Amino acid sequence: MSNTRIGVLSLAVAIALALTVQSAAAQPLTERERTLLEKVDTLEKRVADLERSQAAGQAVRSVKEDQSRVQLENRVSEIEEKIDQDASSAATDFRVFWKEGLRFESGDGNFKLRVGGRIQNDWAWYNQDDSLKWPVGDEQDGTEFRRARIYLQGDIYEDIFYKAQYDFASDNPTSFKDVYVGLKNVPHVGKLTLGHRKEPFGLEQLTSSKYITFMERSLADAFTPGRNVGAMISNDALDERITWALGVWKDVDDWPSSNDSDEDQGVAFTARLTGLPWYEDDGRKLLHLGVAYSHRNPDGANYRFRERPESHLANRYVNTDGFVGFRTRDGSVDGVDLWGFESALVYGPFSLQGEYMLADVDTEFAGNPDFDGYYLQASYFLTGENRRYKQSSAAFDRVKLNNNFSPGSGNWGAWEVALRYSSIDLNDGIIRGGEEDNWTAALNWYLNPNTRVMLNYILADVEHDLYEGDLDILQCRFQVDF
C-alpha cells in the first residue's frame, strides 16, 4: 500500500477515535467536528475509488499482456510454417538462370544441370603451288560447319557428375564427344571419371576449341591422343597450384579401329602433371609448366601420324601413311611412347605459349623411328583483356570482356592479335611422312564472352621426298557458344 493511502487512513482513524470518545461523552458535535467527519467520508470515498482504479488498471494490463502473448505465438507459428513450406519446396523446385550458359539448379543444391552448345561456321580460300596439286590434291575454296554441338552437364547429389556432348557437324549423323560419368571427393584420389573424353595430354588440346587462340590447333597436335574411352583419376594440391591426372584408355578413335583379338591391344596409359610457380592478380599474371606422358600398346594394330596445314577444309600434306617407303599400316607397331612438354606465360594482355611433343615408335619393320613437333605462339589484347586460366583443369578458359559489343554505347568488344610458328617432322629412317613449317597470323574480335569472329592467315611450307611447295590460306570463323 502506498504512503498516501496509509496517511489518509491514519488520519481517518484518529478523527474517528476522537469523535467516538466525544460521542461517548454524549456531547453535541461542534461545527469543526462535523467538518472533519465530512472530510473523513470524502477521504474514504477517494480511497475506495483509488483501489477500484488500480484493480481496473491491473486487469487492463493483464488483458494486454495476454493479447501480446497470443499475437507473438501466432507470429512464431506463421514463421515456422513458412520455414517448413520453403524447406519442403526447396527439394523439388529448380531455379533457372544464365551464367555463361543456361543452368538449372534445385533449391537444396543437390541437382545441377547445364545446357550448352557451340556453332562454328568456317570459310576458307586457298592459293596452292602447282607442285602440291597432283600428289596431294587441288585445294578448293569452301565453307563448312566445323562444329555444331550440344551438351548436357551437371551434378547429382553433389558427388556425382556427368556430361553428354554430341556433334552434328561430323561425317556421322551424330558423333559422341564427351560422354562420361564420374565421382567427386573420392578419398586420396579426388575425381574418378569413366567414359569417353580427352586423355590428359597437351595444353592446347585440353583447351576447348571455344577458347583456343587460333581457328585450328598447331601441327604438333598430330601427336595428342585426343578422345578415347577409359578411366581417369585426377586431383589438385596447394590450392590448385598443382594438378595431376592419370588414366587407362582404350583406343577407339584411331584410324582404322583397333583389332580386339588381343585383350591388351589398343590399351594406353596416359598421365599429366602441371604446376603454377607464379600466379598473381587473379590470373592476369601467371606462369604455367607441364609435362605429359603416354604409353600406347597397339600390339600389331595399325598406327599412323598425319596432320592438315591448320585448316580443316585442306588436305593432309604430312602423313606417315605416305606415298613412298613402308607404311605403318603395312607392318606391326608394338609400342608408342609419347612425350609432351608445355609452358605458358600470361602478363596482363600479353601471353606466350609453347609445346614440344615427341613420339618414339617401336616397329618390327622399321626399327624405332622418332617423330616430333612443336609450336610457339604469342598474343596481345588491344583492348586490355587477358587470357583466362582455369586452375582446376590447368587449361585456358573463356575470356571476360571489359565492354561487350554495343555500338550505341560506343563499345566494340575486345580485339586480340596473335602470331604462331609451328613445325612437324614425320621423317625418320625408312618412314618418310614429310615435314611442314607453318606461320599463322590471327585477328580475333570478341563481341561478348559467347560470340567471336576469327580471321587467320596461314603460310605453309611443305617438304616431302616426292613434292614440296607453299600453300597460302585465308580463313575465317563465326562462332557462338553457350
Side-chain angles (χ1 to χ4, degrees):
M1 182 179 294
S2 67
N3 292 332
T4 302
R5 294 177 62 191
I6 292 174
V8 171
L9 289 176
S10 298
L11 177 61
V13 170
I15 295 173
L17 288 174
L19 293 176
T20 302
V21 172
Q22 188 172 9
S23 175
Q27 295 180 358
L29 297 175
T30 66
E31 183 66 25
R32 182 173 180 275
E33 290 173 344
R34 284 194 296 272
T35 302
L36 290 174
L37 286 175
E38 291 175 357
K39 289 182 177 181
V40 169
D41 291 339
T42 302
L43 290 173
E44 287 178 346
K45 291 179 180 180
R46 291 180 64 183
V47 168
D49 292 342
L50 180 61
E51 290 177 345
R52 286 194 297 270
S53 175
Q54 290 179 342
Q58 181 65 31
V60 171
R61 285 193 296 271
S62 178
V63 170
K64 289 183 177 179
E65 290 176 355
D66 291 341
Q67 291 176 343
S68 299
R69 188 179 300 108
V70 171
Q71 291 175 351
L72 180 60
E73 291 175 351
N74 291 339
R75 181 56 179 164
V76 171
S77 298
E78 291 175 0
I79 294 174
E80 290 177 344
E81 183 178 356
K82 177 63 174 176
I83 292 175
D84 291 340
Q85 292 175 352
D86 291 344
S88 176
S89 62
T92 55
D93 291 343
F94 274 81
R95 68 186 185 100
V96 181
F97 60 101
W98 177 272
K99 184 181 178 182
E100 299 175 349
L102 184 60
R103 298 173 185 255
F104 302 82
E105 184 175 330
S106 64
D108 57 10
N110 284 332
F111 300 92
K112 298 178 181 179
L113 172 65
R114 179 176 178 178
V115 179
R118 76 193 73 172
I119 300 173
Q120 295 176 341
N121 178 220
D122 290 3
W123 295 72
W125 298 267
Y126 301 97
N127 182 22
Q128 180 186 26
D129 285 353
D130 291 338
S131 58
L132 300 177
K133 291 182 179 180
W134 69 266
V136 180
D138 188 4
E139 301 290 359
Q140 302 296 315
D141 302 340
T143 183
E144 68 170 345
F145 283 96
R146 179 68 174 90
R147 296 174 181 91
R149 297 180 183 175
I150 191 169
Y151 71 86
L152 303 175
Q153 178 180 0
D155 298 333
I156 300 176
Y157 287 113
E158 298 184 354
D159 293 324
I160 310 296
F161 62 93
Y162 64 90
K163 185 175 183 180
Q165 183 186 60
Y166 305 91
D167 192 351
F168 297 88
S170 65
D171 295 334
N172 298 323
T174 57
S175 176
F176 279 1
K177 291 301 177 183
D178 292 331
V179 181
Y180 56 78
V181 296
L183 303 177
K184 293 187 290 186
N185 305 315
V186 179
H188 310 295
V189 172
K191 288 184 179 181
L192 170 63
T193 308
L194 304 170
H196 187 264
R197 62 168 299 162
K198 289 181 179 179
E199 297 185 30
F201 196 102
L203 174 60
E204 189 182 40
Q205 175 62 218
L206 294 176
T207 298
S208 170
S209 65
K210 297 182 292 186
Y211 314 133
I212 57 177
T213 304
F214 300 86
M215 288 176 57
E216 298 294 336
R217 297 180 174 93
S218 69
L219 295 173
D221 192 59
F223 301 107
T224 61
R227 288 180 173 87
N228 281 302
V229 174
M232 183 180 76
I233 56 176
S234 59
N235 208 344
D236 60 79
L238 301 179
D239 196 22
E240 297 186 330
R241 297 291 287 268
I242 295 176
T243 72
W244 61 266
L246 171 66
V248 57
W249 308 85
K250 181 70 175 177
D251 279 321
V252 295
D253 290 344
D254 285 340
W255 173 92
S257 58
S258 299
N259 183 350
D260 291 328
S261 60
D262 189 322
E263 63 181 4
D264 295 328
Q265 195 164 326
V267 174
F269 299 91
T270 305
R272 181 180 185 236
L273 175 66
T274 72
L276 279 176
W278 182 39
Y279 187 84
E280 291 183 5
D281 196 13
D282 196 26
R284 276 187 65 87
K285 299 176 182 179
L286 65 85
L287 175 63
H288 162 99
L289 299 174
V291 59
Y293 170 75
S294 180
H295 175 73
R296 319 191 75 77
N297 185 26
D299 196 18
N302 303 312
Y303 209 90
R304 68 179 176 186
F305 298 106
R306 59 179 183 171
E307 191 57 273
R308 291 183 173 92
E310 298 173 0
S311 177
H312 192 254
L313 283 168
N315 294 304
R316 296 180 175 90
Y317 290 79
V318 290
N319 191 343
T320 56
D321 181 29
F323 298 95
V324 297
F326 288 87
R327 301 180 180 181
T328 55
R329 70 176 184 179
D330 291 335
S332 177
V333 176
D334 294 327
V336 179
D337 292 298
L338 300 175
W339 289 92
F341 303 92
E342 58 193 58
S343 63
L345 171 71
V346 174
Y347 195 85
F350 174 76
S351 74
L352 195 65
Q353 178 178 322
E355 293 186 76
Y356 173 77
M357 297 184 185
L358 173 67
D360 182 9
V361 184
D362 181 14
T363 72
E364 293 183 357
F365 63 95
N368 297 95
D370 293 333
F371 311 112
D372 66 353
Y374 64 90
Y375 72 89
L376 180 65
Q377 69 180 51
S379 70
Y380 187 82
F381 278 91
L382 302 175
T383 45
E385 289 81 0
N386 63 281
R387 298 182 71 196
R388 290 183 61 237
Y389 181 88
K390 188 175 182 180
Q391 290 182 251
S392 60
S393 59
F396 286 99
D397 201 15
R398 187 184 304 276
V399 173
K400 288 187 176 180
L401 278 62
N402 295 330
N403 296 289
N404 289 342
F405 174 71
S406 178
S409 303
N411 298 320
W412 295 88
W415 294 82
E416 178 188 25
V417 292
L419 182 67
R420 178 175 66 193
Y421 175 77
S422 63
S423 179
I424 190 171
D425 183 356
L426 297 182
N427 289 335
D428 194 6
I430 63 174
I431 306 297
R432 314 305 296 173
E435 300 177 35
E436 184 176 333
D437 299 304
N438 282 9
W439 284 97
T440 304
L443 175 64
N444 297 323
W445 178 24
Y446 299 80
L447 284 78
N448 54 58
N450 300 85
T451 309
R452 179 167 63 159
V453 179
M454 310 176 72
L455 180 66
N456 286 186
Y457 168 74
I458 305 162
L459 173 60
D461 179 17
V462 180
E463 293 187 8
H464 194 279
D465 286 359
L466 290 182
Y467 52 86
E468 64 179 39
D470 293 336
L471 174 66
D472 294 285
I473 305 171
L474 180 65
Q475 58 186 11
C476 65
R477 169 175 295 169
F478 302 94
Q479 171 181 307
V480 174
D481 71 88
F482 56 92

